[in-house]
Amino acid sequence: MADIVLFHYQTGQAWIYKIDPRIKLFCFIMINFCCMISTPLALISYLIVIISLALTINLSLIKLMLQLKYFYVILCLIMISRWLTVPGDPINCLGNMITWEGMLDGIISAWRLCLIILFGIIFIRTTRISQVRTAIFWYLNAIPFIPSERIAFMFSLTIRFIPILMEQSQEIIIAQKSRCIEKRKNPFYRVPYFVIPLFRKSFQKAEDLIISIESRCYHGQRHHAHDQLKSNDWLALMIVCFFCMLIYFLDHMTLELNQWFQNL
Amino acid sequence: MSNNDTTPIIQITNITYLYPNNTIGLKQLSLQIYKGEFVVIAGSNGSGKTTLLRHFNGLLQPQKGQVRVCNMDVKTHHFQIKQHVGMIFQNPDTQIIGETVYDEVAFGPENLCLDRDIINTRVHHAIQDVGLTHVINQAPYTLSGGEKRRLAIAGILAMQSDIIVFDEPFSELDYTGVKQILNQMVRLHQKGHTLIVTTHDIEKIYSHASRMIIMADGQIQKDGPPQALLIDLEKFGIREPCGSRYGKTIESWLT
């Protein structure tokens, strides 16, 4: 499990660890939103931000990309679905089923999703689950009639469960490999042998976790400590807001200029 | 049992527990545990040890009978009782919730809605008590088996429980890990905690326990001082300690 770097908090001394979790959560949501509406040029700048953050917190992007290998299947499916559904000029050499616009849209969609996942990994790696829970609670508590404590706790448990699921899936894969599952080429044969034990083990773990939480007096109300926002927190917020607006502005200006040149 | 404490800290009267598939967990079981005792509950697999432990802090409720802890009924005071009775589970991985050692230990006190200063004091004290100060900011999954179990103990100490219940504390531990946990248990007992330990490996704990209960088929079969029950162990599927088999004294694992 020590090899798994995905969705795990790692202690550190970098500046990003010291930012208030409420500000960090807000910035994370804002950057993700901007990623969703950005063009490839802006996406490059977000990629540079990710690389810089990874270097700051000593996160090996190569190791990370290797561990994301199963996620690439989902990315491929998204790309293919976009290729086949977006209308436009067909690519003749591919039997007119795929369009140039679809191809470009598929690649950009997969890229956006990839960036969001990477930002998520960096967020979780630099923020304690208890801090994430406290931040979610703080935002939701302002909305009436919402069980903010329970939602925040469930959310933190979900994050807590991701590495457990990954660890269990690795154990199952190794156990099956030791009994020559690879000889079976048919995925319809292999998938149930992977999914059923994974679900059974996960439910069992979830059950054990519930009993353990209950035995330690969990009753829906917990202590939440909110520190006062410091000048560094406000500064971080302003930098992220300014960066997102700048990227958005440059992105639009480029598009406008592009259109203007085309009109000429 | 200490001389002044004649009122049981845990009083169980005729409890019966059936699992949903009608398997008998506990059958007409009565038991009294006194403050400061070091009780070993021995039994083979499926004898009802863990089921009984889970009744001590209200994780399971009996279908018949009554469980009282510190003069409170478990059914009506389950929150207070969970604070009094801390439970260390067989597999510490299932108990660990926090992303760091600090977070893990703070989980219980945070549930008690204490002030942050009190939480900090309790957490640091508990971590120091189990000797994990050097890993306070580490992720629990990087710890060894013995350290994980000590972390689980720290989580309970931070809640200031009087009664500590250990479910198979030595399973999957190496020699060093067993000695660390045993040492911790002896220190807790010396500090006045009431300890209840389930195990089928008597040899490790025999020298330190003040009372032994042998369980089989969801019932208490024998109850008395450990020395008096050694010869009965094998009748109930529990291995007699090696020293006792050869007529020698059973030494503590800590010597």
Side-chain angles (χ1 to χ4, degrees), chain A residues 1-4 7-11 124 128-130 133 153 157 160 163-164 205 208-209 211-219 221-225, chain B residues 54 57 59 79 82-83 85 87 89 93-97 99-100 102-108 110-116 119 137 141 155-156 159:
Chain A
M1 189 146 168
D3 292 337
I4 298 171
F7 296 105
H8 257 311
Y9 172 73
Q10 182 80 45
T11 47
I124 297 297
R128 284 183 168 161
I129 290 185
S130 57
R133 184 173 56 228
F153 192 69
L157 277 187
R160 160 78 171 78
I164 291 178
K205 281 245 178 186
D208 290 342
L209 198 64
I211 291 172
S212 154
I213 288 166
E214 205 186 321
S215 79
R216 290 164 77 187
C217 297
Y218 178 71
H219 58 112
Q221 292 297 320
R222 306 192 73 230
H223 172 92
H224 291 282
Chain B
R54 290 187 178 184
N57 72 345
L59 286 175
F79 182 71
K82 283 188 180 98
Q83 202 181 333
V85 185
M87 193 161 174
F89 290 83
D93 281 321
T94 58
Q95 188 164 4
I96 291 167
I97 293 153
E99 273 293 281
T100 63
Y102 179 93
D103 288 347
E104 171 55 27
V105 179
F107 179 77
E110 280 174 1
N111 286 336
L112 301 177
C113 299
L114 301 170
D115 285 343
R116 180 44 68 181
I119 293 174
N137 284 320
Y141 67 88
I156 298 305
M159 291 176 73

Side-chain angles (χ1 to χ4, degrees), chain A residues 40-206:
Chain A
L41 203 65
L43 291 179
I44 290 172
S45 58
Y46 286 117
L47 187 63
I48 292 167
V49 171
I50 284 174
I51 293 168
S52 321
L53 287 175
L55 289 172
T56 312
I57 59 171
N58 288 329
L59 173 66
S60 164
L61 279 177
I62 297 167
K63 202 186 265 186
L64 185 65
M65 296 315 265
L66 285 173
Q67 287 193 6
L68 281 171
K69 60 188 172 196
Y70 297 111
F71 174 68
Y72 300 143
V73 178
I74 301 169
L75 286 187
C76 286
L77 289 175
I78 290 168
M79 269 201 294
I80 292 166
S81 70
R82 301 301 291 170
W83 290 356
L84 295 173
T85 52
V86 174
D89 296 332
I91 303 171
N92 294 331
C93 60
L94 294 174
N96 292 341
M97 282 181 72
I98 298 169
T99 59
W100 285 109
E101 287 80 358
M103 177 84 93
L104 190 68
D105 193 73
I107 291 167
I108 293 171
S109 300
W111 189 359
R112 281 174 182 154
L113 202 59
C114 200
L115 289 179
I116 289 169
I117 292 286
L118 290 173
F119 273 121
I121 288 168
I122 289 170
F123 175 70
I124 297 297
R125 199 176 168 83
T126 56
T127 319
R128 284 183 168 161
I129 290 185
S130 57
Q131 290 179 320
V132 179
R133 184 173 56 228
T134 307
I136 294 171
F137 174 76
W138 190 81
Y139 283 114
L140 292 181
N141 207 27
I143 308 168
F145 309 117
I146 280 192
S148 44
E149 172 60 54
R150 281 184 187 275
I151 293 173
F153 192 69
M154 289 304 143
F155 193 82
S156 67
L157 277 187
T158 310
I159 298 172
R160 160 78 171 78
F161 241 78
I162 294 170
I164 291 178
L165 277 177
M166 297 186 67
E167 184 202 1
Q168 300 217 322
S169 59
Q170 276 187 357
E171 275 177 14
I172 292 167
I173 289 167
I174 291 167
Q176 294 192 347
K177 275 183 180 172
S178 73
R179 291 164 72 192
C180 303
I181 189 84
E182 285 152 315
K183 291 253 180 198
R184 296 275 190 171
K185 301 292 177 200
N186 183 356
F188 292 104
Y189 178 86
R190 288 170 63 163
V191 166
Y193 283 102
F194 172 72
V195 172
I196 293 169
L198 179 65
F199 273 69
R200 197 188 296 130
K201 275 187 160 198
S202 305
F203 287 133
Q204 185 58 51
K205 281 245 178 186

